[in-house]
Amino acid sequence: MTPRIEEIKEKKLIGVSCHMSISNNKTGKLWKGFRQRVSEISHMVSSDSISLQYYPEDYFTYFDPRRNFVKWAAVEVSKETDIPKGMQCLKVPAGRYAVFEYKGPSNDSGIFQYIYNEWLPQSLYRLGHRPHFEVLGEKYKNNDPNSEEEIWIPIDLF
């Protein structure tokens, strides 16, 4: 699977976040609460949802499934005004991303093992320290083998 490489401008997101780890995964609870309130958000760029992870800088160097990171359930907005109570704004910095078109269940960790253990070490890039995110569009069906999403991995040239 070969990704496309994209340079993005800063993105503005509005959503909810929580600290979690792989071994203490709170993704379902996070998304359930967000989905109930997404209609309160103004200035949405599209109907796509964004699942975003912000890892500590050395997270992948010293990987431990019990180590915390911040996970977001969000949507992209054109301006960060009228933020609903209990939600926050996050600015994703401009930068280069490898974008993988993934088809399959979202609970299959094999795609991430491929990206981090096979594709990235053989590429001309190193992992960038910016948020990692998935764009969940109209073809996304949680944990369905026919689900489709885009996986955005931050990269920098060596």
Side-chain angles (χ1 to χ4, degrees), residues 2 9 15 17 26 33 39 52 65 71 76 78 87 110 120 123 141 143:
T2 303
K9 295 181 179 180
S17 67
K26 301 174 187 175
S39 63
L52 181 142
K71 177 109 175 183
E76 186 176 0
S78 56
M87 293 192 193
L120 190 59
S123 75
K141 301 173 189 109
N143 295 330

Side-chain angles (χ1 to χ4, degrees), residues 17-135:
S17 67
C18 73
H19 290 265
M20 68 175 71
S21 66
I22 291 174
S23 61
N24 185 20
N25 191 329
K26 301 174 187 175
T27 301
K29 184 177 178 182
L30 179 71
W31 276 98
K32 182 178 180 184
F34 178 70
R35 292 222 183 273
Q36 293 172 350
R37 299 192 57 213
V38 71
S39 63
E40 298 173 34
I41 300 172
S42 302
H43 314 294
M44 290 174 43
V45 170
S46 74
S47 61
D48 295 346
S49 295
I50 307 288
S51 178
L52 181 142
Q53 299 73 231
Y54 193 72
Y55 300 105
E57 191 162 0
D58 61 352
Y59 184 84
F60 292 97
T61 305
Y62 305 104
F63 179 76
D64 179 342
R66 297 166 297 177
R67 193 161 176 212
N68 277 345
F69 58 90
V70 179
K71 177 109 175 183
W72 282 76
V75 293
E76 186 176 0
V77 295
S78 56
K79 47 185 168 173
E80 65 258 45
T81 57
D82 308 316
I83 299 172
K85 185 174 180 151
M87 293 192 193
Q88 306 154 309
C89 180
L90 173 70
K91 292 183 181 178
V92 177
R96 182 176 289 146
Y97 280 82
V99 184
F100 294 83
E101 302 279 343
Y102 174 67
K103 182 175 182 177
S106 56
N107 61 355
D108 178 9
S109 63
I111 183 62
F112 292 101
Q113 290 173 1
Y114 166 75
I115 291 169
Y116 297 119
N117 297 331
E118 292 180 43
W119 180 80
L120 190 59
Q122 295 173 17
S123 75
L124 302 172
Y125 304 99
R126 61 186 162 97
L127 197 58
H129 184 58
R130 292 181 303 285
H132 300 224
F133 61 92
E134 294 82 44
V135 176

